[in-house]
Amino acid sequence: MRAKPGNWLGERLDLSAVRELISHKTVPVHSATRWYYFGGITLFLFAIQVITGILLMLYYRPTVNEAFESVRFIMTRVEYGWLIRSIHSWSANLLIFVAFVHMFSVVFTHAYRKPRELTWLTGIALLGLMLFFGFSGYLLPWNQISYFATKVGTDVAASTPLIGPAVGRFLRGGEDVGGATLTRFFDFHVIILPLTAMALVGIHILLVQQHGMSTPPWIAPSGVRQMRFFPNFFLRELMVWYCALAALGALAAIFPWELGEKADPFASAPRGIRPEWYFLAQFYTLKLIPSHVWIFEGEILGILGFGLLAASWAVLPFWGADSAGNARTRLVTGAGVVMVSYLAAFTVLGYLK
Amino acid sequence: MRPHDCPCSRAGEFGGAGGGSGMPPGMPPDQNRRSLLSWLLGGGVAASLASFFYPVVRFLNPPYLSEAPVDEVSGGKVDDLKPNSGKIIKFGNKPALLVRVSETEWKAFTAVCTHLNCTVQYQDSTRLIWCACHNGMYDMSGRVVSGPPPKPLDEFAVRVRGDEVVISRRT
């Protein structure tokens, strides 16, 4: 046995911990098992983003004079360039959607409770990173819509009380959205965010391995059937990934992502300007808040409200369960339903109006 | 802790034809069907993977940029270049070397050294064309005088039109 070539690596690299994990990892089988797939789909789409992003970088140029032209070059001259870019854009959107589904599945199955608070916190940080990925990537083609969306987006950040102006300047690399913003956003999008995201994904997955899969509180953990992760669950997950890839390919081919018109800083904002769908709920809320509420500016009030809401959502494990790890199921489920309803309704309203 | 058993994915079944340990002996038709299914599954996976990677491989290949071929460029005004001097001008997307040998004699060559693609220059002290990278020397007909270049420089035709110098491909 020792002479087998397959053992060559094993004699030099101790993989027993990995082998142990693979052979013992199980997944509980119950009515909510299907929700376990969403974390994996998010990871898969993230991998798609990394691969297609690396490919796009072969031709993309992050300067005001060349950004738009280089994306147009990718889409019109590079073989399958339209497909790679379209997949990158579609996958970004699906990734954020699936990450939201994953997050709400954790809320409704109460998987955030002790000892999984850190898993939740890293997940929330990852969701924030994904939104920032979307925001920074949106500007890179340097078209009219993305230019104005970035003006508005960085202005929202800049109107945060106290720290706002500094944050705005930092994001834009100056007073206005311009070439400096483009190189900054490129740096965020391809260096800072990916490095941070990879580290966080690593920690997130490590924590999931340490704790194992959570079972909802209404299912007694002792009586639950278990499915082996390798190969049973993994092969199912693989099939789901295949379907996700098929959906992605179909969307990218049937509805190729538009490029629009090149950004012109001296043109008026185009009609119907709005951010990506995942910022629509906030966008629409800001539209509804009157310009002044009592002595406060409406916009600042809205931004503070979002900040407060996001912060309390991020610490959900600490108010959503007692210190022994028993979930306050009614409270959290209620909050989750309100949150999903608000996001869904305001996203649709923001899209229609 | 019993492994989840579902007829669609028993642990052994996904392993393909090799994973027949749980099979009753003496049932060749089943074995055939299993190996056929494995082939179909493996072939399908391989074909779909190939279809994913084909666009990626094609994407990696940079498109050929066809620039409109340039036949003639301006080398500037006659008075801009003193006798026994040269300058680099753009000829299409490649550099060219324009040399004013004397008051009336002009020469132009492709400025790309035939050795390793460096850009050559005119050396007024030796009245030769010199490549600084590996010390290649060409004479004023483009022929290699010394150094490593394997081939002479291509020469262009030069005409003076009014006060303008015009360089064109030799026909």
Side-chain angles (χ1 to χ4, degrees):
Chain A
M1 284 295 274
R2 291 188 78 104
K4 255 183 150 180
N7 280 354
W8 188 92
L9 195 64
E11 285 169 5
R12 283 151 186 86
L13 185 67
D14 183 14
L15 293 172
S16 54
V18 177
R19 224 174 290 131
E20 184 79 355
L21 181 76
I22 286 174
S23 59
H24 286 101
K25 187 174 164 61
T26 57
V27 176
V29 181
H30 49 75
S31 57
T33 295
R34 68 181 74 100
W35 298 107
Y36 292 144
Y37 291 100
F38 282 86
I41 304 175
T42 316
L43 181 67
F44 174 69
L45 291 173
F46 183 68
I48 296 276
Q49 288 308 86
V50 173
I51 295 166
T52 50
I54 289 173
L55 288 173
L56 289 172
M57 249 202 290
L58 292 178
Y59 299 102
Y60 176 74
R61 295 172 186 183
T63 67
V64 168
N65 290 328
E66 292 181 307
F68 182 85
E69 283 77 5
S70 65
V71 177
R72 189 171 57 192
F73 179 80
I74 290 171
M75 292 180 69
T76 56
R77 301 294 297 273
V78 182
E79 287 184 282
Y80 295 98
W82 61 273
L83 182 66
I84 304 286
R85 183 196 171 225
S86 210
I87 285 187
H88 194 72
S89 304
W90 271 109
S91 174
N93 284 277
L94 288 184
L95 167 58
I96 287 174
F97 179 76
V98 175
F100 269 107
V101 173
H102 179 50
M103 178 184 77
F104 281 113
S105 77
V106 168
V107 172
F108 292 122
T109 56
H110 306 280
Y112 51 80
R113 62 198 198 276
K114 191 185 171 188
R116 296 184 175 82
E117 296 96 326
L118 284 176
T119 321
W120 167 269
L121 288 174
T122 49
I124 288 290
L126 278 167
L127 183 65
L129 280 184
M130 294 305 142
L131 292 174
F132 197 18
F133 256 121
F135 181 60
S136 56
Y138 199 49
L139 179 69
L140 299 186
W142 198 249
N143 56 29
Q144 278 294 79
I145 302 279
S146 70
Y147 174 77
F148 283 102
T150 307
K151 267 179 111 78
V152 174
T154 53
D155 201 55
V156 168
S159 27
T160 314
L162 298 175
I163 53 163
V167 172
R169 256 187 77 81
F170 171 74
L171 285 176
R172 289 193 287 245
E175 296 308 323
D176 268 312
V177 175
T181 322
L182 187 58
T183 45
R184 254 161 211 252
F185 273 38
F186 181 65
D187 186 19
F188 296 148
H189 195 77
V190 307
I191 303 282
I192 298 168
L193 294 176
L195 284 179
T196 321
M198 286 199 190
L200 278 176
V201 166
I203 298 171
H204 193 71
I205 293 176
L206 188 74
L207 287 167
V208 172
Q209 302 319 313
Q210 281 196 348
H211 297 137
M213 306 305 282
S214 152
T215 37
W218 57 83
I219 293 169
S222 50
V224 172
R225 281 201 302 152
Q226 301 282 330
M227 184 199 300
R228 281 169 60 187
F229 185 81
F230 281 103
N232 302 46
F233 187 82
F234 183 71
L235 284 169
R236 283 171 168 78
E237 180 83 60
L238 217 54
M239 281 192 269
V240 175
W241 289 1
Y242 240 73
C243 295
L245 192 60
L248 202 54
L251 284 170
I254 299 168
F255 308 105
W257 210 263
E258 297 275 332
L259 178 56
E261 277 175 49
K262 184 173 176 172
D264 178 359
F266 297 102
S268 309
R271 283 173 70 84
I273 174 140
R274 59 169 169 240
E276 289 277 67
W277 63 269
Y278 38 86
F279 292 123
L280 274 177
Q282 293 92 314
F283 172 76
Y284 187 64
T285 313
L286 284 181
K287 263 186 164 179
L288 287 186
I289 299 175
S291 67
H292 281 87
V293 181
W294 195 37
I295 55 164
F296 301 106
E297 256 185 65
E299 196 190 349
I300 292 180
L301 211 62
I303 291 164
L304 281 178
F306 289 137
L308 215 61
L309 193 68
S312 41
W313 191 254
V315 295
L316 184 144
F318 305 100
W319 54 262
D322 61 24
S323 52
N326 299 309
R328 300 192 171 99
T329 48
R330 281 197 184 169
L331 175 69
V332 173
T333 305
V337 167
V338 170
M339 195 72 156
V340 172
S341 318
Y342 161 68
L343 287 178
F346 274 59
T347 303
V348 171
L349 285 172
Y351 186 78
L352 294 177
K353 300 250 166 128
Chain B
M1 288 298 229
R2 183 165 65 91
H4 179 58
D5 279 345
C6 148
C8 54
S9 74
R10 259 193 296 266
E13 287 195 3
F14 263 104
S21 55
M23 252 187 34
M27 288 185 72
D30 223 29
Q31 178 102 47
N32 282 344
R33 190 162 65 188
R34 175 171 291 193
S35 77
L36 176 69
L37 285 172
S38 298
W39 271 104
L40 284 178
L41 181 66
V45 169
S48 61
L49 285 179
S51 77
F52 305 150
F53 287 111
Y54 178 73
V56 172
V57 171
R58 295 295 293 265
F59 183 89
L60 291 171
N61 177 35
Y64 178 72
L65 286 179
S66 54
E67 264 192 46
V70 174
D71 282 331
E72 193 176 277
V73 296
S74 166
K77 298 264 186 284
V78 169
D79 295 336
D80 291 349
L81 206 58
K82 289 196 231 10
N84 191 27
S85 66
K87 67 172 178 181
I88 298 290
I89 54 169
K90 204 166 169 271
F91 196 98
N93 55 3
K94 292 243 160 64
L97 176 68
L98 174 65
V99 180
R100 187 172 186 181
V101 184
S102 66
E103 200 64 44
T104 52
E105 196 191 354
W106 296 78
K107 289 274 188 178
F109 302 92
T110 156
V112 182
C113 181
T114 55
H115 177 220
L116 287 169
N117 280 323
C118 286
T119 301
V120 297
Q121 56 188 284
Y122 180 70
Q123 209 173 41
D124 54 2
S125 57
T126 55
R127 291 184 168 259
L128 290 173
I129 297 165
W130 175 55
C131 179
C133 291
H134 301 96
N135 217 18
M137 292 281 202
Y138 304 86
D139 67 11
M140 291 318 295
S141 307
R143 286 182 302 240
V144 181
V145 178
S146 68
K151 283 188 294 186
L153 294 173
D154 284 336
E155 191 170 351
F156 296 126
V158 187
R159 281 173 297 130
V160 176
R161 203 155 54 194
D163 62 346
E164 194 187 14
V165 188
V166 177
I167 296 141
S168 55
R169 267 181 220 286
R170 287 177 139 191
T171 43

